[in-house]
Amino acid sequence: MSRIAYVNGHYFPHGAASVHIEDRGYQFADGVYEVIAVRGGGLIDSEWHMERLKRSLSELQIDMPMSVAALCVVLRETVRRNRVSTGIVYLQVSRGVARRDHPFPNPAVRPALVVTARRTPPVAAKVIDEGVAVISQPDIRWQRCDIKAIALLPNVLVKQAARSQGAYEAWQVDEAGFVTEGGSTNAWIINNEGILVTRPPENAILNGITRRRLIALAESRGINVEERAFSLAEAKSAREAFLTSTTAFVTPVVQIDGTTLGNGRPGSQTLGLRELYAEFIAEMAS
Ligand code: PDD
């Protein structure tokens, strides 16, 4: 089946879709993005994704390319044209096309919008049954990781370091020894009292939508969540650990830098949280 991409007002065959060479996203990584899960052809937590998109854009003084309602129509239409029932929709907004010069173009140019959608296989059963290994890497990123910017080079490098060491993810660690987040996921531990611990949504991390949703779901079940930084040492001696994202959902972590957590199997509380999240998704998709 041929894929279709939306670019600045038009739908193109995926292979023929392109952006201008002086798009500031291409030249300066001057833009933001969102990845939204698609289940049953519907968008999961699209309101929260739109809220985060608006915030990221306003922090960079880029206008919304269109209203949220119109954007949601484009997202749904791209999903429909690609016949995605289970997968993701990706959207990227850049500041637009202008002669290469660092300051914002004046007068402002029209922001550029690209939307793609594709089917994704469900998270592999092995990943859930056995859990995954993570490695640590120094966090070399800027101080506005709360903006979902397309400037992902440090994230690419830590993810590649993880891959080349046979790990699923890299947990980035700040100068004080505290875990910030993964290359493309949020990091969590569960302490000996069964309390979920994850870093607060300040500038050092992206406030993941899955993270936000899981906090709400956990709290609705009376599970305590502590939003505070945790050190790599604390993570290695935690009872359980896991990571979250739109594509990984809730994925158990069983090894950090070669140190095995607990008995080396996914923790029961983590699996319960994964189930809780899966139930929520199933409800949203129905
Ligand atoms: N990544 N932290 C970072 C750095 C991320 O890139 C992501 C998402 C998350 C989790 O956020 P959410 O729960 O909203 O997906 C945390 C997306 C999926 C990506 O870049 O593909």
Side-chain angles (χ1 to χ4, degrees), residues 33 35 52 148 155 181 183-186 206 208-210 245-246:
Y33 75 107
V35 181
R52 185 171 68 185
K148 200 163 171 59
N155 307 59
E181 62 182 335
S184 64
T185 56
N186 287 117
L206 180 75
I209 302 301
T210 323
S245 81
T246 295

Side-chain angles (χ1 to χ4, degrees), residues 36-71:
I36 307 174
V38 179
R39 287 293 180 281
L43 309 183
I44 303 296
D45 270 334
S46 59
E47 274 171 34
W48 286 5
H49 281 280
M50 289 301 115
E51 193 183 288
R52 185 171 68 185
L53 174 68
K54 281 202 288 188
R55 180 177 180 281
S56 294
L57 286 171
S58 88
E59 291 298 307
L60 300 182
Q61 298 169 48
I62 299 176
D63 288 337
M64 275 287 277
M66 57 180 69
S67 69
V68 165
L71 183 52

Side-chain angles (χ1 to χ4, degrees), residues 21-32:
I21 58 166
E22 285 192 313
D23 186 290
R24 288 180 61 98
Y26 179 62
Q27 295 198 321
F28 294 113
D30 187 1
V32 304

Side-chain angles (χ1 to χ4, degrees), residues 65-233:
M66 57 180 69
S67 69
V68 165
L71 183 52
C72 284
V73 169
V74 172
L75 295 177
R76 290 205 181 85
E77 182 60 14
T78 308
V79 166
R80 193 189 68 76
R81 288 187 188 224
N82 287 281
R83 300 204 190 92
V84 177
S85 171
T86 301
I88 53 165
V89 59
Y90 173 85
L91 80 91
Q92 177 174 318
V93 181
S94 77
R95 195 178 302 279
V97 176
R99 196 184 62 191
R100 188 178 181 281
D101 193 12
H102 288 68
F104 301 166
N106 187 12
V109 291
R110 209 157 41 91
L113 171 63
V114 170
V115 180
T116 58
R118 65 180 163 92
R119 296 173 188 168
T120 52
V123 178
K126 189 172 155 25
V127 164
I128 313 308
D129 295 346
E130 296 178 11
V132 299
V134 303
I135 59 162
S136 64
Q137 288 283 292
D139 194 332
I140 60 166
R141 300 175 301 163
W142 69 331
Q143 290 172 15
R144 292 306 309 274
C145 295
D146 55 309
I147 298 172
K148 200 163 171 59
I150 56 175
L152 290 174
L153 195 48
N155 307 59
V156 166
L157 295 178
V158 296
K159 202 73 161 193
Q160 183 55 32
R163 282 295 182 279
S164 59
Q165 293 180 42
Y168 182 88
E169 178 60 294
W171 279 6
Q172 299 167 99
V173 178
D174 66 18
E175 283 180 351
F178 292 100
V179 173
T180 54
E181 62 182 335
S184 64
T185 56
N186 287 117
W188 303 65
I189 57 170
I190 304 181
N191 72 11
N192 285 332
E193 286 85 54
I195 298 171
L196 310 190
V197 183
T198 193
R199 191 153 177 144
E202 290 158 0
N203 296 5
I205 66 159
L206 180 75
N207 191 3
I209 302 301
T210 323
R211 175 192 178 284
R212 256 183 92 182
R213 178 55 67 192
L214 194 66
I215 290 174
L217 291 171
E219 288 180 339
S220 75
R221 299 294 169 102
I223 301 166
N224 287 327
V225 181
E226 227 173 81
E227 292 184 77
R228 64 164 172 85
F230 57 85
S231 68
L232 191 59

